[in-house]
Amino acid sequence: MIIVGYIVKQLSDGSGDRYKARLVAKGYSQRAGIDYDETFCPVARFDTIRSVFSVAATENLYIAQFDVKTAFLYGLLEEQIYMKQPEGFDDGTDRVCKLLQSLYGLKQSPRSWNKRFVDYMLKLGFVVSDADPCLYVRQKQDHKLIVVVMSMTALLHLHT
């Protein structure tokens, strides 16, 4: 169910710099109802993003964007998922590893990350919009913070 991908990171002159390994699940071998239940993870609608830009322009708010490249690695698994020992770490026994957090490739990774993110935002005092579950707002005195969760695909479409 798990594979280890190796990539040679290169310098600008094309020479090899170092090896990078990534542990990736073979999610295509997962079975619905057995290995996972829910996979859906919401992303912001285009009209939400345009509205936030409009509010930011009207209220002279500062806008910042960032990409969480390792987001899916922070999701906590609700299901019990076991994997064989990764290549290179096998101790010669038939023991397996129990995953506590999600990996790239698991079908439930996006949903488990989103659940953890929502819980954290609520703990920080944000309010989730009734109109879009990916819009979070926190207002304290005269300070307003608006957070929109969107996919990279949505971000690329905004630039076209």
Side-chain angles (χ1 to χ4, degrees):
M1 169 150 171
I2 306 296
I3 60 172
V4 179
Y6 297 99
I7 298 172
V8 178
K9 299 297 276 185
Q10 295 184 340
L11 297 172
S12 58
D13 64 3
S15 63
D17 181 31
R18 59 189 162 89
Y19 288 95
K20 181 178 179 181
R22 177 178 284 170
L23 196 59
V24 180
K26 294 181 183 177
Y28 57 81
S29 66
Q30 289 185 284
R31 296 163 296 178
I34 297 171
D35 298 315
Y36 65 92
D37 292 317
E38 296 279 339
T39 60
F40 176 74
C41 176
V43 292
R45 299 181 351 218
F46 285 122
D47 55 341
T48 299
I49 298 166
R50 285 191 293 269
S51 297
V52 168
F53 282 142
S54 176
V55 168
T58 303
E59 298 183 15
N60 200 26
L61 300 176
Y62 174 76
I63 296 176
Q65 177 272 323
F66 62 93
D67 180 22
V68 182
K69 295 181 191 278
T70 59
F72 287 178
L73 300 179
Y74 294 100
L76 300 176
L77 294 173
E78 295 176 0
E79 305 85 5
Q80 289 191 8
I81 305 277
Y82 295 93
M83 65 177 233
K84 294 178 183 176
Q85 294 180 35
E87 183 181 322
F89 293 97
D90 194 343
D91 64 1
T93 66
D94 287 333
R95 291 189 285 186
V96 294
C97 303
K98 180 180 178 183
L99 297 179
L100 302 176
Q101 290 184 228
S102 60
L103 290 177
Y104 292 108
L106 288 176
K107 294 194 182 282
Q108 65 268 46
S109 291
R111 183 165 181 87
S112 64
W113 171 80
N114 184 264
K115 183 179 181 331
R116 188 167 185 190
F117 181 79
V118 170
D119 292 345
Y120 186 71
M121 295 298 278
L122 294 175
K123 190 170 97 173
L124 290 178
F126 282 85
V127 176
V128 182
S129 167
D130 292 332
D132 191 328
C134 295
L135 175 63
Y136 303 86
V137 179
R138 185 176 75 180
Q139 178 116 24
K140 290 190 175 182
Q141 288 88 27
D142 59 341
H143 295 91
K144 181 185 293 185
L145 181 57
I146 302 171
V147 176
V148 180
V149 178
M150 60 184 172
S151 68
M152 281 302 293
T153 305
L155 182 62
L156 293 173
H157 280 71
L158 286 174
H159 290 294
T160 57

